[in-house]
């Protein structure tokens, strides 16, 4: 029997789709699932691709079926399941074999597993995979972290299965240890913010302008032909146009407004706080998801304070499109700034332009803007993206619309947390003389923390009596 070139563990939806993608690209693959019937059923349903698939009933069979040096992809739930699988594989694999965690792992876990692998073997990599079920099957975006030599070993397979942008694979090496999973977490944080801003725009149209779902769908479709062209805007148009087969009403009107999450956005926010990186649009998006789950409290709040006016927001669709353009630029700028902060803090030489290029196809946040972002980051990777001439010009042209939308939302009682947070960040970023001098004076007054003077004098304390506690 011809030995497989790679192995895969975990034939859930994502694992099964990824395995079919690998087989379709011509790579023989050995697969294992803890339920043996699932393993054999997967091959039986693979059609013409079945000849490339070797189902294995035990982990020992799986390891034996792969040509050395072996590489095995884990598609199992993040956390303890990954550690358990590594422990089960370790005695079966050679020191120069490779285990690849392709799930949504916390990057700190990937750092720890990489350090353990350096001592105990086999080699270990963490790769971020974005694109959902469709991407896994037909081409995801892939962000690799670990040893460069390990990436090079499996790059032929990963480049082949990745999405393509004008023929270039949307897969690349991000840096050591947990770098790939960190970039994937930031990707997901941007995804949270982008989705929240789109939801806020939908809310302005539905509740502030009284537009029907079909009109909203058409607006999204028009926006998708301009600067906002992206996967999320595209599917938002399709979602708004869909009709519920049971009630005959717009599908959106039948969906409970309680959004789920798997935690990656929360990880991004927590890590940003550790790194002192400012990502308020992403923080607001995570907050909004958390608050959406508190349906009973929201209904109680509406009963006490009354519902916001349903129609009457003083805003145009042109201004709303401008607000969405500005908000999108700002949330991406925050995300790339967070990656830059991590690169410095963890000594990861992460290639910001290549990250933008990897995200151009296959992933959930793919957008026409990413090509221009890649260019801007190539020109000056240390510069905040909002200051790059291309995006600065866009912001100059659109932040007025963003202000109008947020003002109309505030006056109408329409919640716009991500858009408003993005604008507040923008205004702080463009303010040369902020109000932090007041904070420093307060800190010195109650705690004698001192301050810097604008005239350079050495006196670091104010002339107050010192009523600190």
């Amino acid at each position: 029997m011809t030995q497989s070139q790679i192995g895969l563990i975990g034939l859930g939806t994502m694992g099964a789709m990824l395995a079919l993608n690998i087989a379709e690209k011509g790579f023989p693959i050995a697969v294992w699932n803890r339920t043996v019937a699932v393993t054999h059923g997967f091959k039986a349903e693979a059609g013409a691709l079945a000849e490339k698939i070797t189902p294995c009933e035990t982990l020992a069979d799986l390891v034996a079926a792969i040509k050395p040096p072996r590489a095995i992809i884990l598609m199992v739930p993040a956390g303890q399941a990954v550690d358990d699988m590594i422990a089960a594989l370790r005695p079966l694999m050679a020191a120069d074999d490779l285990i690849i965690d392709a799930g949504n792992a916390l990057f700190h876990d990937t750092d720890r597993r990489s350090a353990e692998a350096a001592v105990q073997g086999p080699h270990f990599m963490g790769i971020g995979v974005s694109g959902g079920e469709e991407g896994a099957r037909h081409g995801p975006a892939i962000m690799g972290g670990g040893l460069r030599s390990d990436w090079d070993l499996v790059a032929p397979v990963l480049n082949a299965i990745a999405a393509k942008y004008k023929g270039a694979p949307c897969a690349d090496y991000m840096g050591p240890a947990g770098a790939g999973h960190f970039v994937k977490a930031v990707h997901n944080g941007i995804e949270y913010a982008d989705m929240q801003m789109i939801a806020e725009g939908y809310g302005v149209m539905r509740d502030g302008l009284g537009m029907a779902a079909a009109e909203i769908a058409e607006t999204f479709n028009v926006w998708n032909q301009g600067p906002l062209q992206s996967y999320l805007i595209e599917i938002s148009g399709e979602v708004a146009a869909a009709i519920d087969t049971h009630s005959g009403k717009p599908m959106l009107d039948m969906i409970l407004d309680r959004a789920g999450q798997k935690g990656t956005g929360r990880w991004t926010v927590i890590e940003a706080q550790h790194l002192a990186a400012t990502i308020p649009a992403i923080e607001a998006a995570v907050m909004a998801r958390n608050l959406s789950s508190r349906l009973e409290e929201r209904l109680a709040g509406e009963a006490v304070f009354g519902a916001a006016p349903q129609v009457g927001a003083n805003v145009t669709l042109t201004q709303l499109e401008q607000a969405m353009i500005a908000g999108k630029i700002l949330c991406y700028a925050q995300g790339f700034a967070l990656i830059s902060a991590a690169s410095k803090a963890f000594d990861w030489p992460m290639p910001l332009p290549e990250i933008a290029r990897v995200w151009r196809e296959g992933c959930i946040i793919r957008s026409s803007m990413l090509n221009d972002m890649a260019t801007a980051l190539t020109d000056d990777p240390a510069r905040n993206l909002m200051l790059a001439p291309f995006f600065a010009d866009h912001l100059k042209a659109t932040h007025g619309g963003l202000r109008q939308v947020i003002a109309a939302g505030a006056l109408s009682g329409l919640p716009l947390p991500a858009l408003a947070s993005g604008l507040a960040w923008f205004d702080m970023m463009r303010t040369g003389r902020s109000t932090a001098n007041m904070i420093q004076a307060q800190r010195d007054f109650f705690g004698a923390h001192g301050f810097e003077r604008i005239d350079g004098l050495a006196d670091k304390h104010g002339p107050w009596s010192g009523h600190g506690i």
Side-chain angles (χ1 to χ4, degrees), residues 373-389:
M373 290 178 183
T375 299
L377 291 166
T378 299
D379 292 342
D380 188 350
R383 177 182 55 199
N384 189 287
L385 202 57
M386 66 170 274
L387 301 177

Side-chain angles (χ1 to χ4, degrees), residues 197-271:
M197 289 179 181
I198 291 171
E200 291 171 17
Y202 158 70
V204 170
M205 289 187 278
R206 183 192 69 183
D207 300 330
L209 299 177
M211 294 170 60
E215 296 175 280
I216 294 171
E218 181 55 31
T219 300
F220 281 129
N221 292 339
V222 170
W223 287 354
N224 199 46
Q225 305 306 310
L228 287 172
Q229 190 280 318
S230 64
Y231 173 72
L232 285 171
I233 289 289
E234 177 186 348
I235 67 169
S236 297
E238 293 189 25
V239 163
I243 301 299
D244 177 31
T245 57
H246 299 285
S247 66
K249 297 179 180 179
M251 190 70 249
L252 272 175
D253 294 348
M254 304 305 297
I255 298 174
L256 187 67
D257 56 321
R258 186 151 48 195
Q261 56 183 311
K262 293 185 176 179
T264 49
R266 188 181 302 121
W267 294 345
T268 307
V269 169
I270 292 170
E271 201 55 43

Side-chain angles (χ1 to χ4, degrees), residues 14-33:
M14 287 290 289
M17 294 300 102
L18 202 64
L20 290 174
N21 188 354
I22 292 170
E24 187 175 63
K25 299 305 186 294
F27 300 100
I29 181 170
V31 298
W32 180 88
N33 196 78

Side-chain angles (χ1 to χ4, degrees), residues 64-86:
I66 305 167
K67 180 181 178 181
R70 303 167 186 85
I72 297 177
I73 297 173
L74 304 185
M75 294 296 292
V76 300
Q80 189 60 47
V82 176
D83 288 318
D84 292 345
M85 194 55 62
I86 293 171

